[in-house]
């Protein structure tokens, strides 16, 4: 896997998705229009996580995913979830200081704190995403409880 560099940060949600947008207002507009399906494929390639592994986090059924692939666009809700997941992945890569294999292993492994769910599985909801982000922040600062 290669490191995506954007604005001197080793990882960013936009970089993992292959988006050149750094302006939050512009990114919000793109999300509202629905991101291209290829951004989903790009996240899969840039992280090494299969589309089938990522699909549930976007709440995409196999049938809907097939339709989105044909339409070449995600819905605004799916796009928002995709950006959220990529943001958490970028934070995880930073937490593990670029060791992508360890970061992906941590992100996809069950955690007792989350009732046996992985951070990826927790990320299905906004509340779950906040819990994952909070845990990453605590780990970065050495606060384990």
């Amino acid at each position: 896997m290669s490191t995506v560099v954007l604005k001197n940060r080793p990882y960013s949600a936009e970089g993992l998705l292959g988006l050149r947008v750094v302006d939050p207002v512009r990114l919000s507009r793109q999300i509202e229009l629905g991101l291209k399906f290829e951004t989903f494929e790009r996240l899969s390639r840039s992280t090494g996580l299969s589309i089938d592994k990522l699909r549930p986090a976007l709440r995409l059924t196999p049938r809907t995913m097939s339709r989105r692939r044909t339409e070449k666009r995600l819905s605004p809700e799916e796009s928002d979830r995709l950006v959220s997941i990529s943001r958490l992945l970028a934070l995880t890569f930073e937490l593990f200081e670029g060791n992508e294999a360890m970061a992906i292993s941590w992100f996809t492994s069950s955690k007792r704190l989350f009732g046996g769910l992985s951070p990826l599985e927790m990320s299905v909801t906004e509340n779950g995403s906040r819990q994952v982000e909070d845990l990453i922040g605590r780990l970065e600062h050495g606060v384990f409880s």
Side-chain angles (χ1 to χ4, degrees):
M1 285 181 244
S2 61
T3 301
V4 177
V5 179
L6 185 66
K7 282 194 155 188
N8 298 325
R9 287 186 58 199
Y11 297 97
S12 70
E14 296 87 355
L16 291 173
L17 293 170
L19 299 174
R20 299 189 195 284
V21 177
V22 290
D23 173 23
V25 173
R26 203 164 153 217
L27 178 59
S28 290
R29 287 185 187 138
Q30 284 187 340
I31 290 168
E32 288 173 18
L33 294 172
L35 295 173
K36 293 179 182 178
F37 188 83
E38 68 188 42
T39 58
F40 182 35
E41 295 171 318
R42 168 67 188 253
L43 181 64
S44 174
R45 283 192 311 274
S46 64
T47 62
L49 287 167
S50 71
I51 284 183
D52 283 334
K53 188 97 170 164
L54 290 167
R55 180 184 53 73
L58 271 64
R59 296 186 175 195
L60 283 171
T61 64
R63 185 175 175 167
T64 301
M65 187 179 73
S66 178
R67 195 169 56 248
R68 297 293 187 257
R69 183 178 272 128
T70 301
E71 295 168 351
K72 298 182 185 254
R73 192 158 299 280
L74 298 169
S75 73
E77 294 79 16
E78 295 154 355
S79 299
D80 195 43
R81 298 293 331 130
L82 182 64
V83 171
S84 178
I85 297 300
S86 61
R87 183 178 48 78
L88 291 173
L89 280 161
L91 291 172
T92 302
F93 288 145
E94 288 181 5
L95 174 67
F96 285 89
E97 298 177 345
N99 186 327
E100 295 176 9
M102 284 181 61
I104 292 297
S105 176
W106 181 85
F107 198 71
T108 58
S109 298
S110 66
K111 306 288 176 255
R112 201 171 348 162
L113 176 66
F114 298 147
L117 297 175
S118 70
L120 178 59
E121 293 166 322
M122 280 293 289
S123 302
V124 171
T125 64
E126 182 60 31
N127 181 61
S129 291
R130 279 191 242 127
Q131 298 303 315
V132 172
E133 188 170 359
D134 182 58
L135 176 58
I136 292 169
R138 291 191 333 242
L139 292 171
E140 274 186 329
H141 292 95
V143 180
F144 301 106
S145 58

